[in-house]
Every structure is written in structure tokens, then in C-alpha cells.
Amino acid sequence: MRQPPTDVLSRRVQLWPRLAFTCLATCFLVGSISGLACSKQDAPGEPPTAPSAEKATPAEPPPGHGAAKTQAPPTPAPAAVPEGATSLGGLIVEAPSGWIAEPVSSSMRRGQWKIKDDAGEAELVVYYFGQAGAGTVERNLERWYGQFQQADGKPTREVAEVGEKTVAGMKVTRVSVGGRYVAAVRPGAAEKHDVPDARMLAAIVEAPDGAYYFKMVGTAATVEAAASGFDAMLASMRTPG
């Protein structure tokens, strides 16, 4: 048998890799097209469009979830205090000119003033102990009497001047008493005041939100001179609003 020339065999050998590559590429292309067709056929449809927030939100809360929450109403602003007046919380008062307003020194005090003149000085404090107060009127009067001693040894209640009146619909019990002032410097303290010639003007005001206790103590002449101002302050009392 005649053998093909050497150059022809060489060319055939060179063609085999190209032919094999072409066959592989064709198979790959056909497979890709078939897979794409199958995947497109098997793919699920487009997901449904989600409802808008407006449609999804119910007009009322679902059963069992209670009513829709509402914001608490804002806290009302405190009642306006006229110029020259002082708010004690549930009371508004006007202090006489010349009385020196001071920062309160405890949470039980709602107001505090210093009164000075040539004879000496006095201090007025307004106490408030909440709605329940600090006991009956008579109990507080007795406690105040116990803070004074009389030179002749008489019980202080026998020389005290007590009166009642009504101001702006509120009952006011007023007391005036003098003597040696020997009250404790502060509640429960062993140290005591010792003012030989002292006087006290006090009042218990039964206000809608509880009792207010006005207590002025100082040099007898200074307190006596301030009595008209004290009474004017009580007369000026009113509740806010």
C-alpha cells in the first residue's frame, strides 16, 4: 500500500487538536443553551408586589392589642404670679416692702423672710408638710406655747392671744405670744434658743391642699412693729388660678 507523503501526515497530525477543540466547544455551547432553556422553563413566576405601607396598616389596632396609644397631655404651666407676690405652692401671698426674701433652707419650708429694724430682727417662715399637715390646730398651738417661758411662771397658753378669721374661703387661726424663747435650734436638737424678750406671731391656714404654718419669731419690739405687715400678708392670700 502506498504511504502518503510525510508532509501530508504532518498536516493531519496538526489538524487533530483543532478538530477536538472544535467538537468540545460545540458540545459546551449546545449544553449551555439547553440548560438555559430548562432553567427558564422551571423558574417560578415573579413574586407578588408587596402591599404598600398605607394598605398594610389597619385603621384600628387588631383585636386583643388594645386601643391605640396617645401621648399624655402636656403638664399645664404654673399659674402666673403677679409682680411683687410670692407663690408658696397652693397659696400666693404678698410680703410687705422692706421684708427680705431668703432662699428656703429645707424642703419643709415654702417661704422665708428676714425683718430688720432698729430694735432688732425677726424671721418669718412658712412651713408646709403635705396634705396631711402636722396634726390638729390645738396640737400645734400647744407645741408653740411650749417654746416660751413666762417670767412669772404662768403657763404660756394663759397669756397667748388667739383669734380666728376667714380669708379667701380658708380658715385662719392666728396666735400672738411673748416671753423667753427657748425652742430647739432645729427639730430634735439638744441646743436651744435663748432669747429673753421675744415674741411670736403665727397663723395656721387651712388651704385646699393642706395646712400652711406661718411663724414669725424675733425681738419683741420688732415683731410688734411687723404685726400690721403680717396681717396684711395673711389678707393678701389667695389660691392659684
Side-chain angles (χ1 to χ4, degrees):
M1 185 176 177
R2 187 181 178 182
Q3 296 292 333
T6 304
D7 59 333
V8 173
L9 290 175
S10 178
R11 290 176 185 176
R12 288 179 180 178
V13 173
Q14 294 177 358
L15 287 174
W16 272 109
R18 296 182 183 179
L19 182 59
F21 178 81
T22 303
C23 290
L24 290 174
T26 302
C27 292
F28 180 80
L29 180 60
V30 172
S32 298
I33 294 174
S34 299
L36 180 61
C38 291
S39 61
K40 185 172 184 180
Q41 182 179 355
D42 296 338
E46 293 292 332
T49 304
S52 65
E54 182 178 358
K55 293 181 180 179
T57 304
E60 296 180 359
H65 285 70
K69 294 182 180 180
T70 57
Q71 291 185 344
T75 303
V81 178
E83 185 178 357
T86 300
S87 173
L88 303 177
L91 287 179
I92 294 176
V93 298
E94 296 179 19
S97 60
W99 289 16
I100 305 168
E102 298 180 331
V104 294
S105 56
S106 80
S107 59
M108 296 182 296
R109 299 186 176 199
R110 288 296 180 89
Q112 187 171 317
W113 290 265
K114 185 77 71 178
I115 301 98
K116 295 181 178 181
D117 61 12
D118 294 339
E121 64 179 41
E123 181 184 58
L124 170 63
V125 177
V126 181
Y127 297 91
Y128 178 74
F129 304 100
Q131 185 76 45
T136 65
V137 170
E138 187 60 33
R139 180 180 174 184
N140 281 278
L141 293 180
E142 288 296 328
R143 179 167 54 84
W144 287 339
Y145 298 156
Q147 296 174 351
F148 285 85
Q149 294 176 349
Q150 304 304 313
D152 57 5
K154 284 185 178 181
T156 298
R157 71 172 64 87
E158 293 184 7
V159 299
E161 302 172 6
V162 182
E164 295 181 357
K165 58 182 177 180
T166 300
V167 177
M170 297 174 289
K171 181 181 177 181
V172 179
T173 302
R174 180 186 184 278
V175 58
S176 174
V177 65
R180 179 182 288 270
Y181 186 60
V182 292
V185 172
R186 55 186 175 278
E191 183 182 0
K192 295 180 179 294
H193 294 284
D194 187 10
V195 183
D197 186 18
R199 191 158 194 86
M200 178 188 74
L201 273 177
I204 301 174
V205 180
E206 298 176 43
D209 64 330
Y212 287 77
Y213 304 85
F214 291 67
K215 184 182 179 184
M216 178 190 292
V217 178
T219 305
T222 303
V223 173
E224 289 170 358
S228 59
F230 182 83
D231 290 334
M233 174 182 271
L234 294 179
S236 74
M237 291 188 305
R238 55 193 179 278
T239 55

